[in-house]
Structure formats: structure tokens, C-alpha cells
Amino acid sequence: MHLAGPAAAQVDLDDAFAKIDGTLLAVALGGVLVILLLVYRSVLMPLLVIAGALLALAAACAALYALARWGLLPIDGQTQGIVFVLVVGASTDYALLLAARHREELAGQPDAAAAMAAACRATAPPVLASAGIIACAMMTLTLSDLPAERALGPAVAIAMVCCAAVSLTFLPALLVLCGPRTLRPPTGRETGSRWTATARTLAHRPRRVWVGSLLLLAAGAACAPLLASSGVPLHQALPAGAPSVAGHEVLTRHFPAGTASPLTIVAPASGASGVRNQVAATPGVASSVIVPSGAEGRVLVLATLSDTPDSARARETVTRLRASLAGTGVLVGGQSAQHADLQEASVRGQRLITPLVLLVVLVLLVLLVRCVLLPLLLVAAAWASLFTAFGTAALVFRLVTGASVTEPAVMLFSFVFLVALGVDYNIFLVHRIRSEAVRHGTAAGVRRGLETTSGVISAAGLILAATFATLTVMPLLYLAQIGCIVAIGVLIDTLLVRLFLVPALILDLGHRTWWPTLLPGDRPRTGTTAASAPHPGDQGRPAVSRPTS
């Protein structure tokens, strides 16, 4: 004996979420710990970073629990899983950025407290900008018609506030209290030499680099149309061993696939026979029967579909049926009709929220870097890497599952995350480049920015990609797809867009990057100016005088 149908599938769905929370958090923290051990080659520092991430997660969960308890914000397993992964990844990224700047400040300031104060002042703007952009981008989901999508926006915004607060208060205090055992001051050679070769390559051939990067992105984006958002039936999204999946397979072998959840059609009693005949003649309907409803003047027509109730073909049948019954006062309900309405609402929300996210991110970037051209380039780069991630993920899905079909909500969530997170890492880099360019000019700013931030941002990107990849352990297909798409997109942003495309574009544009402003370091000067003040990456190099006019 097997149990099938929507109720049985919902029980299996609840069981899947109930059993995965601890596993998801353990896998995410385990992956972060391994990468941090490789980065710092010590035990204490990774434990402090994880302690900060856990505190941020505890604060976020407490706030979300209170809102859910008061009935202000519905929280489901999907929202909880995404918040777990995002908090762990973002908190670790902010901790890496702070620790790297603290280590840099210790090179010229032996007092740990003073060095940390300087590090916090330098790190706070990009961290707050990063958290603010992610929070504002996610808040656009509140415009969706679907409650699950609306709830995810405020949940992530609250989580990002907790991440930023812990990273700029608790973690700095913890690092100072633990003293020199956590970090050691770097040597000049150690800081400046690792990314010097990359900076020199970009400086010599910036146009070739960014054109080549765009060609690589275009090759991946060409496969994006393979990722279809036509929806995945729940029996395919659940684990293969779920009881409801076994029941569905047995049912479809012996009965029409829609037997477990027929359409419910409410019709006037006077025209019941005509409605039933019209329903029976609709392609995709296997059978229909009239049932007295108990309501005066109304009857129910139960229509069993030939296809699985939550499949794309069932939704097409609902669309045909509604079109044929339009204007007759007949109402079409049931699981298939609900899924058709959900699909329509998801597509409508995607069309509304997608341009709004881009506009919000663009406005915040303009306010942050105080120019117009560079934010446009950063948003365009995030857009290109997004489609490259979609195309690459489509190929991965086809290799693993044999099909590249997903839900509209997966496309929407992945879009919002990748645009926000893609700009996120560029904020860390561009903020440092601009601060250096103000004093030394754009070309020197790019070199110094790459030398000081490439290592920590690359490590942060790997950590965030690893944490989102942990969603692939979820027994639900669409959450695994979100994790895969976002992980691929973060790696593309970290290793290609942020490391090669954006710096090469800035070098090729020169002082025009900051249009309509002109930075002091790029202003023409008369005579010959000595080299800039010593930079940690310049220690051990001979000072060189060059004309800057």
C-alpha cells in the first residue's frame, strides 16, 4: 500500500527540511573551517572567525524567531536554509577583510588596539556598503505576490544587519583581546609580491585582458537559454526514496497521473451537463464527473487530468480550460490551478523585481564611489557574470540530472543574490583602488589595490562559494539548484570579473573611470614629483621619480 497526492508530498517536504538543519550548518561550518585553516595556517584565528559567524547567526535567528512568533514574518525551511548559508559566508568574508586590514596596519603600528581602530575605520565603509546593497536588493522581493518570496527579503536584510554589526564590534574586540597570537605583521615582500605579476600583466595589456574576459563570459552566457524556468514537479524535486514519490510512481503506472488531485470546477447547476461535456472535451482531461456541492444552484465538476497535477502540461490544460470557460461564471480550482497561478505570479514578480534590483544597486554604487561611469560598468559586469553562471549551471544540471529545468523562483533568487554578491566583491576592490588613486593616481591605485586585496578577496570568494555549495546537500532539487548557480556565479565574479575584467577596464579608461569627477591623484602636475609615500608592497624597492604632468 502506498500513499500519494499533495498531502503525502507535503509531509515528505516537511520531513526533508526538519532533518537537514543540523547537517546544513555542520557542512557549511566545516567547509569554512578547512579553507580558513589553509589561509591562516593556524587554529586560533579560524575559531575566532567561526565564533563571530555563529554569533551573527544566533542574533539573526533570534530576531526572525520573534517576528515569526508574533505573526509578522512567515519563516519556512527554504528561508531558514538560505539565511544559514548567507550569514556564515558573509560573516566570514567580512572577518577576512577586517583581519587582512588589521594585519596590514600592524606593519606600521605595533600597538594592536590602535592598529585595529585604524583597520575598523578603513573596513567599515566597504562592509556597510556591502551589507546595505545586499539588504536593499533583497528587500525588493517584498514586491512579489508570493508570501514565500516576500518573506525572504526582510529575513536576509535582518541577517545582513547582524553580520555587519558583529563584524565591526564583537570580532575586532575579540582579535585585540587575543593579542598577537592571532595575527603576525606581514613583511613587505610577503604583502606586495604575490599579485605583482598579475598587476603588471594588466598594466601592459589592459584592453586585451578585458576583451578576453568578456569573450569568456560570452561563451558561458551563450548556454543560458538552456536553463528553462518551466517548473519542476514536486515528486521530481523530492528525494527519490520519499514515500510519496514511490506512491506517485505506482499510481501513474495504473491510473491517470492526475488522479491524486483532480481539478475542482465550480459551475451553475443549470448548465452542469454542458460544462462537464466541455471539460471532458478539453485536451489533457482524462475524465470528469459531476458532484452535488451542497450550495444552492452550484455543482462541482471534478476533472482528472492525464498529467501530473503540478507539471507544465497540467498548467497548460488549466489555461486551455479557463480560456474555453471564460465569461460563463465557472471557476477552476485545485492543485493544478494553484500551480498555474503560482507560475504566473512568479513570472510577473521576476519581470518587476529584476530591473528594480539593478536600479537599486546602481544608485547605491553611485553614492558609494561618487561617480557614474564605474557603477554602470560594475552593474554590467555583474549582469554578464549572471548569465554566464546560468549557462554554466545549465550544462552542469544536464550532466548531473539529464535536464536543465528549474523553477521561476530559483531564477529570481539566484539573480538577486548574484547581482548583489557580484557587486559585493567589486566594492571591496574598488573602494581600495579609489582610496589609493586619490593619492597616487588611477594606475598606481589599481596596482596597490590588487596587491593588497586580491588575496583576501579571492579567499573570501572561495569561502562564500563553498558555503552556498552546501545547499546542494539539501534533499530538495530547487534549493540545490540555487546553491549551485550562486556558487558558480561567485567563483566567476571572484576569479574572473574582479581579478581581471574590472581592473583592466579601470586601467584602460584611466582617469575617465571616475567621471564626472577627477581625483586629486590624476590631476596634472608641473615638474617632476617624487614617488608616493611608502606602501607596504613597495618596501625593499628603490624609489623612482617620474614626471606626472
Side-chain angles (χ1 to χ4, degrees):
M1 184 173 63
H2 298 274
L3 295 179
Q10 185 62 45
V11 169
D12 291 339
L13 185 65
D14 294 341
D15 289 343
F17 278 119
K19 296 176 181 177
I20 203 62
D21 291 346
T23 303
L24 179 64
L25 186 58
V27 172
L29 291 177
V32 169
L33 180 60
V34 170
I35 297 176
L36 289 177
L37 288 173
L38 295 175
V39 171
Y40 290 107
R41 299 176 185 176
S42 68
V43 178
L44 182 58
M45 184 60 189
L47 292 179
L48 297 182
V49 172
I50 288 179
L54 288 176
L55 178 60
L57 180 60
C61 287
L64 295 179
Y65 171 79
L67 293 175
R69 180 78 177 272
W70 297 333
L72 299 177
L73 190 66
I75 301 296
D76 57 10
Q78 171 184 275
T79 299
Q80 186 172 338
I82 292 176
V83 167
F84 274 21
V85 167
L86 185 62
V87 169
V88 171
S91 297
T92 306
D93 285 358
Y94 298 159
L96 285 174
L97 194 67
L98 175 69
R101 191 57 186 249
H102 183 212
R103 193 166 181 256
E104 187 178 336
E105 296 293 339
L106 284 174
Q109 171 59 266
D111 182 71
M116 179 56 74
C120 286
R121 286 193 297 270
T123 307
V127 167
L128 294 176
S130 166
I133 284 181
I134 295 175
C136 292
M138 294 302 299
M139 284 299 292
T140 59
L141 290 175
T142 57
L143 299 177
S144 172
D145 294 332
L146 302 179
E149 293 181 359
R150 289 200 303 268
L152 183 61
V156 171
I158 291 171
M160 294 311 301
V161 171
C162 296
C163 290
V166 171
S167 300
L168 296 176
T169 57
F170 172 79
L171 188 61
L174 198 60
L175 292 177
V176 173
L177 287 174
C178 291
R181 292 173 294 177
T182 57
L183 296 171
R184 57 185 177 83
T187 62
R189 179 181 179 183
E190 187 179 0
T191 302
S193 62
R194 292 179 180 177
W195 299 95
T196 301
T198 301
R200 288 177 178 172
T201 301
L202 293 176
H204 291 159
R205 304 178 185 87
R207 188 162 300 178
R208 290 186 182 180
V209 171
W210 69 256
V211 170
S213 300
L214 283 180
L215 291 176
L216 289 176
L217 292 175
C223 300
L226 297 177
L227 189 61
S229 60
S230 56
V232 180
L234 186 56
H235 73 274
Q236 295 180 7
L238 286 169
S244 64
V245 174
H248 176 80
E249 292 174 352
V250 174
L251 183 146
T252 54
R253 285 201 300 267
H254 301 280
F255 305 94
T259 301
S261 184
L263 283 179
T264 304
I265 302 165
V266 182
S270 57
S273 297
V275 171
R276 179 189 177 280
N277 293 335
Q278 194 170 355
V279 170
T282 302
V285 176
S287 63
S288 60
V289 62
I290 298 177
V291 179
S293 66
E296 184 177 352
R298 294 283 178 176
V299 297
L300 296 179
V301 178
L302 300 183
T304 300
L305 303 186
S306 305
D307 304 295
T308 301
D310 55 351
S311 64
R313 289 186 176 181
R315 293 196 300 270
E316 293 172 359
T317 301
V318 171
T319 301
R320 287 193 294 267
L321 195 55
R322 284 175 169 172
S324 65
L325 297 173
T328 62
V330 176
L331 302 177
V332 180
Q335 185 184 13
S336 299
Q338 290 173 355
H339 278 275
D341 294 338
L342 286 171
Q343 182 85 357
E344 182 181 350
S346 293
V347 173
R348 187 167 58 248
Q350 191 173 2
R351 292 173 179 170
L352 170 66
I353 294 171
T354 296
L356 187 59
V357 169
L358 294 175
L359 179 62
V360 168
V361 171
L362 179 61
V363 170
L364 292 176
L365 281 176
V366 170
L367 296 176
L368 176 67
V369 299
R370 297 187 291 280
C371 65
V372 176
L373 181 58
L374 183 57
L376 289 171
L377 295 176
L378 294 180
V379 171
W383 184 264
S385 64
L386 167 74
F387 281 96
T388 304
F390 281 161
T392 307
L395 297 178
V396 173
F397 295 160
R398 290 209 169 188
L399 291 175
V400 175
T401 65
S404 54
V405 181
T406 187
E407 296 283 343
V410 171
M411 303 282 283
L412 178 60
F413 291 164
S414 301
F415 167 80
V416 176
F417 276 122
L418 284 179
V419 169
L421 294 173
V423 173
D424 192 33
Y425 290 110
N426 286 318
I427 286 175
F428 297 156
L429 173 67
V430 168
H431 181 269
R432 188 58 184 266
I433 288 177
R434 192 182 191 283
S435 63
E436 297 288 349
V438 167
R439 294 176 293 170
H440 310 297
T442 298
V446 171
R447 175 179 62 81
R448 292 167 181 261
L450 282 174
E451 290 177 350
T452 55
T453 66
S454 291
V456 63
I457 295 179
S458 298
L462 292 176
I463 287 176
L464 191 62
T467 54
F468 266 96
T470 59
L471 283 175
T472 58
V473 307
M474 296 288 284
L476 296 172
L477 180 63
Y478 54 84
L479 277 181
Q481 288 178 334
I482 291 175
C484 182
I485 293 173
V486 175
I488 291 173
V490 168
L491 289 177
I492 292 172
D493 276 315
T494 302
L495 303 178
L496 180 60
V497 174
R498 198 269 317 155
L499 192 59
F500 294 99
L501 177 60
V502 171
L505 281 171
I506 295 176
L507 283 172
D508 198 17
L509 290 171
H511 66 87
R512 294 168 294 179
T513 301
W514 317 105
W515 182 86
T517 62
L518 182 64
L519 298 183
D522 290 323
R523 290 173 183 166
R525 300 177 185 175
T526 58
T528 302
T529 304
S532 305
H535 177 264
D538 296 329
Q539 294 180 11
R541 301 177 186 168
V544 179
S545 298
R546 60 181 179 86
T548 59
S549 59

